[in-house]
Amino acid sequence: MGYACPVCEEPQADAGHLANHLAFTALTGGDDHEDWLDEHVPEWGGFGEDELAAEVVELAEEAEFPFEADGHDHRHEHDHGQGVDPQQARQRATGELDDEAESILREAREMTESMHDEDDTSDADETE
């Protein structure tokens, strides 16, 4: 089971992936995704992944997708690490990034690092 993006219907494996898809697409020039978020979750820009996921999952349609048809869970076969797979990036590349896109990606990386740092801190607090 997964969720269909309420804007473009692209399949997302879970609430976290849906939140990331909506926010990243909005930040990288997806005006329709940004408009949807602005209308349905006006404070989305200040949310972390978990907070945004909790909001958008209530507004998305749950559905089955082909990636589940073979009985395997493919949701976490991609790397959630800090790095970028250069080969995969080259395969998906559609051209050079302009200054605005570079700035957006830099901001997204910083936000991701900050969220990972917060997760590390909360994990350490829980073990004490």
Side-chain angles (χ1 to χ4, degrees):
M1 213 39 109
Y3 296 94
C5 172
V7 179
C8 68
E9 298 182 6
E10 184 174 317
Q12 301 301 317
D14 56 34
H17 283 85
L18 176 62
N20 287 327
H21 164 77
L22 283 162
F24 190 75
T25 304
L27 289 170
T28 57
D31 291 339
D32 48 350
H33 286 70
E34 184 176 9
D35 292 344
W36 187 90
L37 282 168
D38 287 344
E39 180 180 336
H40 293 90
V41 189
E43 57 285 331
W44 70 274
F47 285 173
E49 177 184 343
D50 291 339
E51 295 138 331
L52 184 57
E55 295 289 325
V56 299
V57 75
E58 298 295 325
L59 304 168
E61 188 174 317
E62 195 171 17
E64 289 191 39
F65 294 107
F67 56 75
E68 297 176 310
D70 62 5
H72 293 92
D73 182 359
H74 296 279
R75 290 180 285 187
H76 291 286
E77 289 187 3
H78 55 277
D79 181 16
H80 282 281
Q82 299 289 328
V84 173
D85 177 355
Q87 182 178 4
Q88 193 175 44
R90 277 192 296 277
Q91 289 172 345
R92 292 183 177 175
T94 58
E96 295 294 318
L97 296 177
D98 61 17
D99 290 340
E100 181 181 12
E102 286 285 346
S103 174
I104 290 168
L105 288 175
R106 188 171 30 261
E107 180 180 352
R109 280 188 209 104
E110 290 169 1
M111 291 171 67
T112 301
E113 289 172 9
S114 175
M115 287 189 313
H116 284 291
D117 291 344
E118 289 174 13
D119 286 346
D120 291 345
T121 301
S122 67
D123 288 345
D125 291 343
E126 290 175 11
T127 59
E128 292 176 6

